[in-house]
Amino acid sequence: MGKRVLVTGIQGFTGQYMAAELTAHGYEVFGLGSQPSATVNYRQVDLLDAEAVRRTVAEIQPEVVIHLAALAFVGHGDANAFYQVNLIGTRNLLEAVAASGKVPDCVLLASSANVYGNASAGVLSESTIPAPANDYAVSKLAMEYMASLWFERLPLVIARPFNYTGVGQTENFLLPKIVSHFRRKAARIELGNLDVWRDFSDVRAVVRAYRGLIEARPCGQTFNVCSGRTHSLREVLEMCTEITGHQLQIEVNPAFVRASEVKTLCGDASRLRSVLGDWQTPPLVDTLRWMLAGEQ
């Protein structure tokens, strides 16, 4: 058997792809999540239950930990929940790993490019000063600062993924919402600001980057995971129209325009590529084709 990897949030969108990527490369995958499941090597544990987390990590004795569990939908109504899950939950996990009697080879923490906030000048590198613009982003930056207190005790690597998508992502997120409307040939769609520019990656490339990082183990460092290219929602709609031949009527709903909306997010993946070599994510049009076909 390969190395034992503990993936938190394994039932989530990214977690399922992460588990498949690791399994395909010979790892023995254990999962943690908040919902019940009969999957082999899965444990239902609430990250806010510090004692249960400690017991579970001590039992599994993972050689690698990939921490994906998080509250990620920026429009989520309860601001406190971001801090409880993303900050306190992560702290409980690190405490449990440190107390498990076995120091893993690598602990990867998934943060978010949202920590950069509205910094839209040029491309954002890891040295860009964070300026989080919503509670989700603040909770992720707080998690990074908290994690830095553990750098001497645990082999931590922090990933800051920019937007990414793929088959199976919920329609709370914009691209799956748009794709779903095209797939069912809806007559119209309500969206917010069409002129937000985002750096989109493919979830399959993101989990490949995470696997590359746990294998390279550049401990104590932070990495952007991004394509380095931006597309506006307007362009996304045009690509979907071209792929499907279906024309949607677009209505801008002011209720969907967030006051703290980050207008442009474009990442610089140079540091990631300096460690992983020629890591690439497919062009967005290819990811959209895959999503519009709908097969995993």
Side-chain angles (χ1 to χ4, degrees):
M1 260 309 189
K3 284 184 180 175
R4 297 160 81 86
V5 186
L6 175 62
V7 179
T8 72
I10 198 164
Q11 291 177 308
F13 167 57
T14 317
Q16 292 175 36
Y17 284 96
M18 191 77 250
E21 173 75 14
L22 292 165
T23 302
H25 287 84
Y27 289 87
E28 187 182 7
V29 180
F30 289 78
L32 235 60
S34 57
Q35 302 302 314
S37 167
T39 313
V40 179
N41 291 345
Y42 175 80
R43 308 285 190 280
Q44 183 182 357
V45 179
D46 182 350
L47 285 177
L48 296 180
D49 183 344
E51 186 46 46
V53 176
R54 202 166 18 249
R55 270 198 319 272
T56 306
V57 174
E59 177 205 331
I60 293 170
Q61 295 277 299
E63 291 163 273
V64 175
V65 177
I66 299 178
H67 180 41
L68 305 176
L71 194 53
F73 177 51
V74 175
H76 184 81
D78 179 6
N80 287 347
F82 287 122
Y83 298 97
Q84 287 157 356
V85 176
N86 299 349
L87 179 59
I88 308 301
T90 303
R91 192 180 189 288
N92 288 342
L93 178 69
L94 295 182
E95 195 119 61
V97 172
S100 70
K102 179 184 181 66
V103 177
D105 296 339
C106 187
V107 177
L108 178 91
L109 302 179
S111 180
S112 167
N114 267 272
V115 301
Y116 296 119
N118 283 301
S120 60
V123 291
L124 310 178
S125 74
E126 295 82 355
S127 58
T128 302
I129 294 169
N134 51 53
D135 282 297
Y136 167 69
V138 174
S139 75
K140 283 296 200 177
L141 186 59
M143 179 201 79
E144 290 190 18
Y145 281 130
M146 179 276 297
S148 69
L149 302 175
W150 296 80
F151 279 162
E152 288 177 11
R153 283 176 282 172
L154 292 171
L156 298 179
V157 175
I158 294 173
R160 285 179 180 162
F162 282 64
N163 290 59
Y164 60 93
T165 192
V167 174
Q169 190 176 35
T170 69
E171 287 181 41
N172 288 350
F173 293 89
L174 267 173
L175 265 58
K177 175 181 172 177
I178 291 169
V179 162
S180 158
H181 277 68
F182 276 97
R183 287 195 67 192
R184 61 175 191 265
K185 304 241 184 296
R188 51 188 283 282
I189 187 170
E190 281 192 2
L191 294 168
N193 188 353
L194 300 183
D195 298 302
V196 290
W197 295 75
R198 291 289 180 267
D199 181 324
F200 292 106
S201 293
D202 186 305
V203 64
R204 298 165 295 183
V206 171
V207 297
R208 207 164 58 244
Y210 289 174
R211 180 176 60 81
L213 287 169
I214 63 165
E215 289 172 357
R217 294 185 290 177
C219 301
Q221 293 190 60
T222 299
F223 294 87
N224 285 342
V225 180
C226 53
S227 71
R229 299 182 295 272
T230 59
H231 295 280
S232 69
L233 287 187
R234 225 177 264 285
E235 287 178 343
V236 169
L237 289 159
E238 284 164 12
M239 286 181 209
C240 291
T241 302
E242 203 164 302
I243 293 164
T244 62
H246 178 64
Q247 198 77 44
L248 263 182
Q249 185 187 330
I250 297 144
E251 294 174 14
V252 175
N253 182 340
F256 294 167
V257 180
R258 288 201 293 271
S260 56
E261 183 84 88
V262 178
K263 297 290 181 282
T264 303
L265 272 180
C266 183
D268 175 0
S270 309
R271 183 184 289 180
L272 182 71
R273 291 203 181 97
S274 74
V275 171
L276 301 189
D278 189 30
W279 176 86
Q280 295 290 343
T281 183
L284 180 58
V285 68
D286 292 353
T287 303
L288 289 171
R289 269 198 200 98
W290 170 52
M291 291 169 73
L292 285 159
E295 292 133 19
Q296 237 158 314

